[in-house]
Amino acid sequence: MKSVRLGIIGLGNMGLGHADNIISGKVSRCEITAVCDPAPEKIVRFPQAKGFARSAELIHSGVVDAVLIATPHFDHTVSGIDALQAGLHVLVEKPISVQKADCERLIAAWQDPKLVFAVMFQQRTDPVYRKIRELIQSGELGQIRRINWIITNWFRPEVYYKLGSWRASWAGEGGGVLLNQCPHNLDLFQWFFGMPKRVRGFCGLGRYHDIEVEDDVTAYFEYADGATAVFITSTGEAPGTNRLEIAAENGRLVFENDVLTFTKNETPMSEFSRTATKAFAAPATTESRFTFPNHGGQHVEMLQNFINAILDGRPLIAPAPEGIYSVELANAIVFSAAHNQTVELPLDAAAYEKFLQSKVATSRFKRGAKRSPGAIADDLAASYKR
Amino acid sequence: MKSVRLGIIGLGNMGLGHADNIISGKVSRCEITAVCDPAPEKIVRFPQAKGFARSAELIHSGVVDAVLIATPHFDHTVSGIDALQAGLHVLVEKPISVQKADCERLIAAWQDPKLVFAVMFQQRTDPVYRKIRELIQSGELGQIRRINWIITNWFRPEVYYKLGSWRASWAGEGGGVLLNQCPHNLDLFQWFFGMPKRVRGFCGLGRYHDIEVEDDVTAYFEYADGATAVFITSTGEAPGTNRLEIAAENGRLVFENDVLTFTKNETPMSEFSRTATKAFAAPATTESRFTFPNHGGQHVEMLQNFINAILDGRPLIAPAPEGIYSVELANAIVFSAAHNQTVELPLDAAAYEKFLQSKVATSRFKRGAKRSPGAIADDLAASYKR
């Protein structure tokens, strides 16, 4: 195999964006040989590819080696399982599923280690996030004590939610800002810090918009080693903030306004505390500032990485099984808020599924209803910010 | 009365500091005519004043018009009630008491409106905090939606807690960072934003130090109008942070690194959300930055304000009855954390008193035991930062 024959399932904003990157030659050794969407007017944009209305037809067509799943979230599970069982490589958009139980089902379908199974967490290619992770993993930061990430630069006006009745509904999307805008941030959170032991969530359901799901979130995490964290997000705030602060033994790391600042302690804070002889003394510090010329390869790098994994056995930037963690965090926050109590992790997937089913049952959006076209006129790229 | 005859009760760090300000002539129309402390070696430093070992003796001596109470926290209530009932003006150090029920008892003893009854919240004199309050009260910020205050620049090494066995104990101080370091921050919080309707606290008890009370806190507040807030503090983190972010309808206000930045929306965020026609549009903004040449009059201004209120009827910067709010917030956070549940405000003062009594009963520190001298060799002034 010199080139991967790719099928794109779902030609919404994301699917079309990925197709553009491939067709314009940004991804080597990859050709789109099939596309799938219920809308015929989208299919006809790809005369060079076979067109299908249903994902199963594409998966079993014999004209693809791999699929990119970019359907609405709920459909990731079924299409992903079908494709893996058919022996195809799979790259699935985030979130890999809308709830933990579906993630487990999807991951369980991945039985053949020769199949490449990846998730589109393209923010892992951003040099600033790679640098943060490197500072943590190398031990440069020392033990992490407290984290505060305010990521409220996801402002969406009311019209955004009017573009599709499935949007921001329990039945249509399975959740709100945590499932649609934040999977990247929650993935980075677990990529940096691992998973907490307990989660307390506070969610505003339709606080800023006429929607039934969360559009405003504050969450508190506790980790096994005693570290604590606060994660805050919203689609209602303007201007938004993206500020990540990490308080660690060896100093404080802050990312805000595209600058990463490391204020490093000459003596780790706990060691200083134990040995200081003056009651108001504090460790001396030095400051380093890092800036980054770009946001990394993003979607194109992820697509190329997927292709290189298939053809050359290169390691994945984001193996799909890691996609369960961001979903579990999102689910745990929503579950905690709904029950007004702390949730221990691992989350009880069956309990969450039952909860979600009860929400879906009374959702405004009825599954099977015709979806709105969902085409968004203005600049989608503007939403791909850090 | 041309000059106020002041008695200082308690000659610890704070009492001695206030005495210095008065003796060095920084406060007009005020003379120290009496001092009180159990330590004779402190009394002899004030040859011009009458010395007493017990507060009741000073209060009923007839040589003072007013008292400044700077004893350990637990004693504020008894001395304050005694002084008010004796017809003296009272300026009490923060916190006015260690728990809400004592605050209520103290405030109830203030029956004569001619008596001036003030609390030492000197951070209300800081121009940056006055500016923040003005931007809120004038309506310039518009409705407040979310608040995040990280105030972790209270680092204290272990030795700080070794200087007095009463420190950071349930029986000796009644609490930890929330009662000792944070009363100012909690007062500013309520001075800016009013009181929340509910509080969820998460406290680390002796997380960073060998103490029995909280030295690490994350708290989540909800307000009657739906606003949310996070308040984070610690005495274990170095380097610390002081960053206050206020997300409001008319923009975002951030105070950090001694700069106040107002990013103002041309259209309020909710109005923009309702009227925008593009799905990824956001309000245009303009940025204003404010810096302040100093921290204001601080302790001296508060002392002078107290004197001016007595002699000229000038309004107080910090009336003592407002001191109950910061205590109620501190108590609610600790109570919520201890019971692992959200607390509705107003806090049940009797329930908190019962809780505190149970903690005092098993405290490491036994009341009545001899207090350590508590003299701190290095620069106390270094601890008076924003």
Side-chain angles (χ1 to χ4, degrees):
Chain A
M1 199 193 306
K2 296 244 174 90
S3 179
V4 173
R5 298 176 304 158
L6 184 70
I8 298 181
I9 302 175
L11 296 174
N13 293 305
M14 297 310 307
L16 290 174
H18 297 316
D20 278 350
N21 280 328
I22 296 164
I23 291 169
S24 62
K26 292 179 185 161
V27 183
S28 66
R29 301 189 292 170
C30 175
E31 55 178 323
I32 300 171
T33 53
V35 293
C36 168
D37 198 277
E41 69 274 16
K42 292 191 174 174
I43 298 287
V44 297
R45 296 198 211 177
F46 297 87
Q48 77 282 30
K50 284 213 175 194
F52 301 95
R54 297 171 57 199
S55 65
E57 295 164 2
L58 182 148
I59 289 165
H60 300 282
S61 66
V63 303
V64 295
D65 309 307
V67 293
L68 194 172
I69 301 174
T71 58
H73 316 152
F74 263 113
D75 301 333
H76 292 182
T77 315
V78 169
S79 296
I81 291 172
D82 194 11
L84 288 167
Q85 289 178 344
L88 300 180
H89 306 288
V90 171
L91 173 56
V92 59
E93 261 294 345
K94 55 83 192 168
I96 64 167
S97 295
V98 302
Q99 54 151 331
K100 186 182 175 187
D102 278 345
C103 293
E104 290 173 337
R105 291 177 188 115
L106 175 56
I107 294 166
W110 184 50
Q111 294 289 335
D112 181 354
K114 290 193 299 295
L115 292 183
V116 173
F117 183 27
V119 54
M120 185 61 83
F121 282 136
Q122 80 275 2
Q123 291 207 5
R124 292 192 186 188
T125 68
D126 192 317
V128 69
Y129 292 132
R130 286 183 169 173
K131 179 70 179 177
I132 292 169
R133 188 162 188 261
E134 177 202 315
L135 288 168
I136 296 167
Q137 301 238 323
S138 68
E140 180 80 4
L141 272 183
Q143 190 180 354
I144 290 170
R145 297 303 205 156
R146 186 181 57 75
I147 305 145
N148 189 274
W149 197 355
I150 305 172
I151 176 80
T152 54
N153 62 357
W154 293 116
F155 180 74
R156 295 289 182 269
E158 193 71 43
V159 64
Y160 168 85
Y161 295 102
K162 302 294 184 201
L163 287 171
S165 60
W166 54 276
R167 278 186 189 278
S169 67
W170 293 111
E173 271 201 301
V177 61
L178 290 169
L179 271 189
N180 187 307
Q181 283 78 25
C182 280
H184 292 298
N185 311 119
L186 294 172
D187 176 61
L188 292 171
F189 219 96
Q190 72 81 25
W191 197 50
F192 295 153
F193 311 118
M195 288 293 277
K197 290 302 288 178
R198 58 191 69 82
V199 170
R200 181 63 166 89
F202 307 90
C203 294
L205 305 184
R207 180 177 171 203
Y208 288 109
H209 306 91
D210 183 23
I211 58 176
E212 65 189 15
V213 293
E214 82 285 356
D215 59 1
D216 187 62
V217 173
T218 299
Y220 172 77
F221 304 153
E222 286 179 359
Y223 292 79
D225 70 352
T228 68
V230 169
F231 179 83
I232 294 167
T233 193
S234 175
T235 56
E237 282 184 27
T241 294
N242 181 5
R243 182 181 186 276
L244 171 61
E245 167 172 307
I246 305 169
E249 278 295 325
N250 295 347
R252 186 185 59 169
L253 192 66
V254 174
F255 175 56
E256 187 177 17
N257 299 325
D258 292 321
V259 180
L260 183 66
T261 305
F262 183 26
T263 309
K264 187 173 180 177
N265 292 327
E266 286 186 12
T267 309
M269 65 193 202
S270 292
E271 181 187 334
F272 185 94
S273 177
R274 285 191 305 272
T275 56
T277 56
K278 291 187 171 181
F280 295 96
T285 59
T286 51
E287 189 177 290
S288 307
R289 292 161 64 90
F290 306 92
T291 55
F292 302 87
N294 58 56
H295 290 202
Q298 297 289 324
H299 291 125
V300 170
E301 184 170 346
M302 297 302 283
L303 285 166
Q304 192 65 64
N305 174 252
F306 178 61
I307 299 301
N308 295 349
I310 294 170
L311 295 179
D312 310 328
R314 295 289 301 275
L316 285 174
I317 294 167
E322 295 179 11
I324 194 172
Y325 300 120
S326 48
V327 175
E328 184 167 12
L329 285 174
N331 292 173
I333 293 167
V334 167
F335 195 78
S336 167
H339 295 86
N340 197 27
Q341 63 185 30
T342 299
V343 168
E344 301 286 327
L345 262 48
L347 176 69
D348 181 337
Y352 186 80
E353 180 160 43
K354 196 173 161 191
F355 163 80
L356 181 60
Q357 283 168 347
S358 73
K359 291 293 188 184
V360 166
T362 57
S363 174
R364 289 186 195 180
F365 178 74
K366 298 301 169 197
R367 265 199 261 186
K370 188 176 172 342
R371 289 206 176 85
S372 302
I376 291 173
D378 74 326
D379 186 12
L380 183 74
S383 78
Y384 299 136
K385 49 190 167 188
R386 278 175 179 150
Chain B
M1 199 195 304
K2 295 246 175 89
S3 179
V4 173
R5 300 175 302 158
L6 184 71
I8 298 181
I9 302 174
L11 297 172
N13 293 305
M14 297 310 308
L16 291 173
H18 296 317
D20 277 349
N21 279 329
I22 295 164
I23 290 167
S24 62
K26 291 179 187 162
V27 183
S28 67
R29 302 188 295 172
C30 175
E31 55 178 324
I32 299 170
T33 54
V35 292
C36 169
D37 198 277
E41 68 275 16
K42 293 191 174 173
I43 297 289
V44 298
R45 297 199 210 175
F46 297 87
Q48 76 283 30
K50 285 215 172 193
F52 301 95
R54 298 172 56 199
S55 65
E57 296 166 1
L58 181 148
I59 288 166
H60 299 282
S61 66
V63 303
V64 295
D65 309 307
V67 292
L68 193 171
I69 301 174
T71 59
H73 315 152
F74 263 113
D75 301 333
H76 292 181
T77 316
V78 169
S79 295
I81 291 172
D82 195 12
L84 288 168
Q85 288 178 343
L88 301 179
H89 306 287
V90 172
L91 173 56
V92 60
E93 261 293 345
K94 56 83 194 169
I96 65 168
S97 295
V98 302
Q99 55 153 329
K100 186 181 175 187
D102 278 346
C103 293
E104 290 173 337
R105 291 177 187 114
L106 175 56
I107 294 166
W110 183 48
Q111 293 289 335
D112 181 353
K114 291 193 299 294
L115 293 183
V116 172
F117 184 27
V119 54
M120 186 61 84
F121 281 136
Q122 79 276 0
Q123 291 207 6
R124 292 192 186 189
T125 69
D126 192 316
V128 69
Y129 293 131
R130 286 182 169 173
K131 180 70 180 178
I132 292 169
R133 188 165 189 261
E134 176 201 316
L135 288 169
I136 296 168
Q137 301 238 323
S138 67
E140 180 80 2
L141 272 183
Q143 190 181 353
I144 291 170
R145 296 302 205 156
R146 186 182 56 76
I147 304 146
N148 188 274
W149 197 356
I150 305 172
I151 175 80
T152 53
N153 63 357
W154 292 116
F155 180 75
R156 295 289 183 268
E158 193 70 43
V159 64
Y160 167 86
Y161 294 104
K162 303 293 185 200
L163 287 170
S165 60
W166 55 276
R167 275 187 191 279
S169 67
W170 293 111
E173 271 201 299
V177 61
L178 290 170
L179 270 187
N180 188 306
Q181 284 78 24
C182 279
H184 292 298
N185 311 119
L186 293 173
D187 175 61
L188 292 172
F189 220 96
Q190 70 84 24
W191 198 50
F192 295 153
F193 311 118
M195 288 292 277
K197 289 302 288 178
R198 60 190 67 83
V199 169
R200 181 63 168 89
F202 307 91
C203 294
L205 305 183
R207 179 177 171 201
Y208 289 109
H209 306 92
D210 183 23
I211 58 176
E212 66 190 15
V213 294
E214 83 283 356
D215 59 1
D216 186 60
V217 173
T218 298
Y220 172 77
F221 304 153
E222 287 178 359
Y223 292 79
D225 69 353
T228 68
V230 168
F231 179 84
I232 294 168
T233 192
S234 174
T235 58
E237 280 183 29
T241 295
N242 181 5
R243 182 181 187 276
L244 172 60
E245 167 173 307
I246 306 170
E249 278 294 326
N250 296 347
R252 186 185 60 168
L253 192 66
V254 174
F255 175 57
E256 187 176 18
N257 300 324
D258 292 323
V259 179
L260 183 66
T261 305
F262 183 25
T263 309
K264 188 173 179 176
N265 291 328
E266 287 186 11
T267 308
M269 65 193 201
S270 291
E271 182 188 334
F272 185 93
S273 177
R274 285 191 304 273
T275 55
T277 56
K278 291 186 171 179
F280 295 96
T285 59
T286 53
E287 188 178 291
S288 307
R289 290 161 65 91
F290 307 92
T291 55
F292 303 87
N294 59 56
H295 290 202
Q298 295 290 323
H299 290 125
V300 170
E301 184 172 345
M302 297 302 285
L303 286 166
Q304 192 64 64
N305 173 253
F306 178 61
I307 300 303
N308 295 350
I310 295 170
L311 296 179
D312 311 326
R314 294 290 299 274
L316 287 175
I317 294 167
E322 295 179 11
I324 195 172
Y325 301 120
S326 48
V327 175
E328 184 167 12
L329 285 174
N331 292 173
I333 292 168
V334 167
F335 196 78
S336 166
H339 295 84
N340 197 27
Q341 63 186 31
T342 300
V343 168
E344 301 285 328
L345 261 51
L347 177 69
D348 180 337
Y352 186 81
E353 181 159 43
K354 196 173 161 192
F355 163 81
L356 182 59
Q357 283 167 346
S358 74
K359 291 292 188 184
V360 167
T362 57
S363 175
R364 288 186 195 179
F365 178 75
K366 298 302 169 196
R367 264 198 263 188
K370 188 177 173 336
R371 289 206 176 84
S372 304
I376 292 173
D378 74 328
D379 186 12
L380 183 72
S383 78
Y384 298 136
K385 50 189 164 187
R386 277 173 180 154

